[in-house]
């Protein structure tokens, strides 16, 4: 198992990834991801593989839904937290592993989530290796959900939070847009860490090149993810439903895919 670059490990040590998804700024991403996955999973108890599952934010609700969930992550602190969660969560196990080489048998799962590893695999061959491993682990006809950060995420984030007026941030965004290679050389805590940002068409093509059958590519947050004024409306169930409903309506509109900060490719393994 190869080590992650220092700055990536330090980035995830600096905050609670599970809390990020359940606090104000991450709730739309979290709930939309839940809905997308649940919408496509078949009924009944399934064997689900959560690759790069961090501290278990998604594994927890999958286990609560009645699935047998195996979580792997490459960050030891994440795995330790996920194991503590597993101690009080029936149906959940957690272990240390690299997405590019999973210690599982071929076809031993009904579905897999790959909701983080592609963010930090900056080399295309590594991303394809992770995608192929997810496909190998899932039975024929099973589902593989793959998340990526949008090529345009830094640009929109810079506009929403005024980072774009910093010349250093402008240089970073220019590199993101030109190559997808995201580098936060100054280690600014709010500018993310070393990563790769996908164009929507590129995410689709990489899944195809890894041997997966692409069912759809959807935007997770849409425009709503960049509007902080919606945070106050989230506590009202009726308002929350409006945001979710109309984000879903345009989730696979090609002209709007890159507007979401996160993308999910919904795949099947070849039957």
């Amino acid at each position: 198992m190869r080590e992650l670059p220092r700055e990536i490990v330090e980035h995830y040590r600096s905050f609670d990834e599970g809390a990020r998804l359940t606090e104000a700024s991450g709730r739309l991403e979290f709930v939309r991801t839940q809905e997308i996955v649940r919408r496509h999973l078949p009924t009944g108890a399934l064997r689900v593989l959560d690759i790069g599952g961090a501290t278990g934010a998604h594994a927890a609700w999958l286990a609560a839904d009645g699935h047998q969930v195996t979580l792997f992550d490459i960050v030891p602190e994440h795995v330790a937290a996920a194991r503590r969660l597993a101690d009080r969560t029936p149906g959940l196990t957690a272990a240390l592993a690299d997405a590019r080489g999973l210690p599982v048998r071929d076809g031993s799962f009904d579905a897999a989530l790959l909701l983080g590893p592609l963010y930090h695999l900056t080399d295309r061959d590594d991303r394809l290796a992770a995608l192929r491993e997810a496909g190998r682990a899932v039975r024929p006809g099973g589902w593989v959900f793959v998340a990526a950060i949008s090529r345009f995420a830094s640009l929109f984030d810079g506009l929403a939070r005024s980072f774009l007026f910093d010349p250093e941030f402008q240089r970073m965004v220019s590199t993101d847009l030109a190559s997808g290679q995201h580098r936060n050389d100054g280690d600014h805590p709010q500018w993310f860490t070393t990563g790769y940002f996908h164009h929507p068409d590129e995410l689709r093509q990489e899944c195809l090149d890894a041997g997966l059958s692409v069912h759809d590519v959807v935007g997770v947050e849409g425009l709503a993810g960049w509007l902080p004024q919606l945070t106050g409306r989230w506590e009202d169930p009726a308002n929350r439903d409006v945001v979710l409903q109309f984000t879903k309506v345009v989730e696979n509109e090609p002209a709007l895919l890159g507007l979401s900060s996160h993308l999910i490719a919904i795949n099947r393994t070849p039957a």
Side-chain angles (χ1 to χ4, degrees):
M1 184 168 63
R2 284 171 279 182
E3 291 186 1
L4 280 176
R6 173 203 58 80
E7 67 274 14
I8 297 177
V9 175
E10 291 302 319
H11 171 78
Y12 285 107
R13 282 175 174 163
S14 68
F15 70 98
D16 184 342
E17 171 68 5
R20 180 191 73 81
L21 289 171
T22 55
E23 292 173 351
S25 61
R27 284 182 294 183
L28 177 60
E29 175 195 345
F30 182 68
V31 174
R32 279 278 296 150
T33 300
Q34 279 185 310
E35 192 279 324
I36 291 164
V37 173
R38 281 175 169 153
R39 191 195 321 162
H40 292 90
L41 286 181
T43 57
L46 305 173
R47 300 159 299 167
V48 180
L49 182 58
D50 188 4
I51 308 166
T55 58
H58 290 295
W61 64 261
L62 285 162
D65 283 355
H67 305 304
Q68 294 292 315
V69 184
T70 299
L71 180 151
F72 289 125
D73 202 89
I74 198 171
V75 179
E77 290 85 353
H78 283 174
V79 174
R83 283 174 170 162
R84 291 193 293 272
L85 175 65
D87 287 341
R88 59 182 188 275
T89 306
L92 172 61
T93 60
L96 195 68
D98 190 317
R100 295 162 290 187
L102 299 172
V104 300
R105 299 189 309 276
D106 294 1
S108 51
F109 292 86
D110 300 299
L113 278 61
L114 194 73
L115 299 183
L118 293 200
Y119 299 174
H120 302 296
L121 294 175
T122 58
D123 184 86
R124 186 177 188 272
D125 288 343
D126 284 338
R127 295 195 297 275
L128 291 181
L131 290 166
R132 289 182 181 122
E133 276 293 272
R136 178 187 68 79
V138 173
R139 62 171 176 79
W143 294 89
V144 179
F145 302 90
V146 180
I149 298 174
S150 166
R151 178 66 54 89
F152 311 100
S154 286
L155 170 61
F156 294 139
D157 191 37
L159 287 168
R161 297 199 284 172
S162 297
F163 298 146
L164 199 59
F165 299 100
D166 184 317
E168 185 180 350
F169 193 88
Q170 293 171 23
R171 289 190 290 273
M172 185 179 70
V173 168
S174 295
T175 302
D176 290 358
L177 295 175
S179 67
Q181 297 288 343
H182 178 84
R183 300 292 185 275
N184 178 5
D185 294 329
D187 288 332
H188 295 275
Q190 294 181 301
W191 294 6
F192 201 54
T193 185
T194 299
Y196 188 79
F197 293 179
H198 279 79
H199 189 283
D201 293 342
E202 180 183 31
L203 176 61
R204 179 185 296 272
Q205 189 60 53
E206 287 187 355
C207 290
L208 291 171
D209 291 345
L212 299 172
S213 176
V214 180
H215 175 76
D216 206 354
V217 175
V218 300
V220 177
E221 304 95 340
L223 177 61
W226 304 117
L227 302 177
Q229 63 267 36
L230 294 178
T231 302
R233 291 186 175 273
W234 192 260
E235 301 305 327
D236 184 303
N239 289 339
R240 181 168 63 245
D241 288 346
V242 169
V243 174
L244 294 172
Q245 174 190 348
F246 285 96
T247 301
K248 179 180 177 181
V249 163
V250 295
E251 67 178 6
N252 57 4
E253 166 53 53
L256 297 177
L257 279 179
L259 183 58
S260 289
S261 55
H262 295 88
L263 308 164
I264 291 182
I266 303 158
N267 305 280
R268 305 292 297 269
T269 53

